[in-house]
Amino acid sequence: AISGPGSTVTFTGGGGTALNTNSTAGIELNGGDLVLADGKSIASFTSGATLSQLLFGSPDGSIVVNADYVASSDLTTEFKISSLASYNQLAVDGNVTFNSQQLALDLTSLGELSSIGDRGTSFDLFSSGTSSIYTGNIGGITSLGLGDYASLGPWFLENGSYRSNTFGANGNYFYFDQTNGNLVVVPEPSAMVVAGIGVALAGWRMVRRRKGAKTPAGVGGRVGADRRHGPVICDLRSAQ
């Protein structure tokens, strides 16, 4: 451990200080870059009033924050997202306070997410405990990507959180939910309408086929009232 429980270690300046050990002390970042090694834990995290970057030491690394995560508007936390199962994560056991901090998303290694099955995919960048509370707002999001993802920015506010421009043939886009720290893949409303029409049409066709199967072969419907009551017999003798 860097120092004992209840204390705080402050990192300032420098071009990329690496934290390669667990810390029972809290970490304060007040300037420069701090690189957190994969799988390590710290007691808590706070950023000061100097431009700073919080980085991960590996593309799929995760860091445990045993108490609260309190950011500032001068902090940028960068997450690398390589696949649906491989991405950086801050596992926060306490509360998360964004305070207008910035997020940077590195998507250069992420494969295509344009299939219907990927809609609703969630990357829990800020994983938290069941009693954790998220407060404050994200100040902005920037992204770095190739192919489909090169056209994501600039991100803009929608319903209080940031979303990207659309990508891929199906019109998906990213939405960061600051109430739980998740990055979600969602479809454009027009794509949802088209998908809904397709489902409804398929259902209508299925119902029609089932109704057709119940009609006996060669019967095209009732012809005249006598089809319902059987043959009509006339007694000509009574008529005489």
Side-chain angles (χ1 to χ4, degrees):
I2 294 178
S3 58
S7 59
T8 300
V9 175
T10 300
F11 292 88
T12 60
T17 303
L19 180 61
N20 297 314
T21 183
N22 294 326
S23 174
T24 56
I27 299 299
E28 179 183 4
L29 178 59
N30 198 19
D33 298 344
L34 177 62
V35 182
L36 300 177
D38 180 27
K40 303 303 180 182
S41 65
I42 58 178
S44 62
F45 177 84
T46 306
S47 64
T50 305
L51 290 176
S52 310
Q53 283 195 105
L54 183 62
L55 309 169
F56 291 83
S58 64
D60 60 350
S62 62
I63 299 297
V64 175
V65 181
N66 290 315
D68 295 340
Y69 171 95
V70 182
S72 72
S73 59
D74 293 299
L75 175 70
T76 298
T77 303
E78 180 179 308
F79 294 87
K80 294 181 176 65
I81 303 176
S82 302
S83 70
L84 297 176
S86 178
Y87 55 91
N88 292 145
Q89 182 185 72
L90 275 174
V92 183
D93 286 340
N95 297 324
V96 176
T97 304
F98 290 124
N99 282 337
S100 298
Q101 78 152 96
Q102 304 289 312
L103 294 183
L105 306 178
D106 186 348
L107 309 172
T108 52
S109 300
L110 183 61
E112 186 176 357
L113 285 174
S114 59
S115 66
I116 293 177
D118 292 327
R119 293 173 178 170
T121 295
S122 177
F123 302 91
D124 49 338
L125 303 183
F126 291 86
S127 174
S128 60
T130 55
S131 60
S132 296
I133 299 174
Y134 287 79
T135 58
N137 300 314
I138 292 295
I141 299 177
T142 58
S143 56
L144 176 65
L146 302 173
D148 284 342
Y149 309 118
S151 62
L152 290 183
W155 293 51
F156 56 93
L157 281 171
E158 182 176 86
N159 298 325
S161 288
Y162 278 89
R163 59 154 287 184
S164 71
N165 290 313
T166 58
F167 64 89
N170 291 328
N172 294 345
Y173 63 89
F174 286 111
Y175 179 85
F176 182 78
D177 188 345
Q178 57 193 15
T179 65
N180 57 22
N182 287 353
L183 181 69
V184 183
V185 180
V186 294
E188 276 281 31
S190 58
M192 288 289 288
V193 170
V194 172
I197 291 173
V199 172
L201 182 59
W204 176 79
R205 286 175 176 169
M206 183 177 295
V207 170
R208 188 180 181 187
R209 283 198 299 267
R210 288 177 177 174
K211 286 184 176 180
K214 294 178 181 179
T215 303
V219 177
R222 183 169 58 89
V223 181
D226 293 343
R227 304 276 300 190
R228 182 177 54 187
H229 300 291
V232 176
I233 301 175
C234 297
D235 191 347
L236 299 180
R237 291 173 299 177
S238 62
Q240 293 176 348

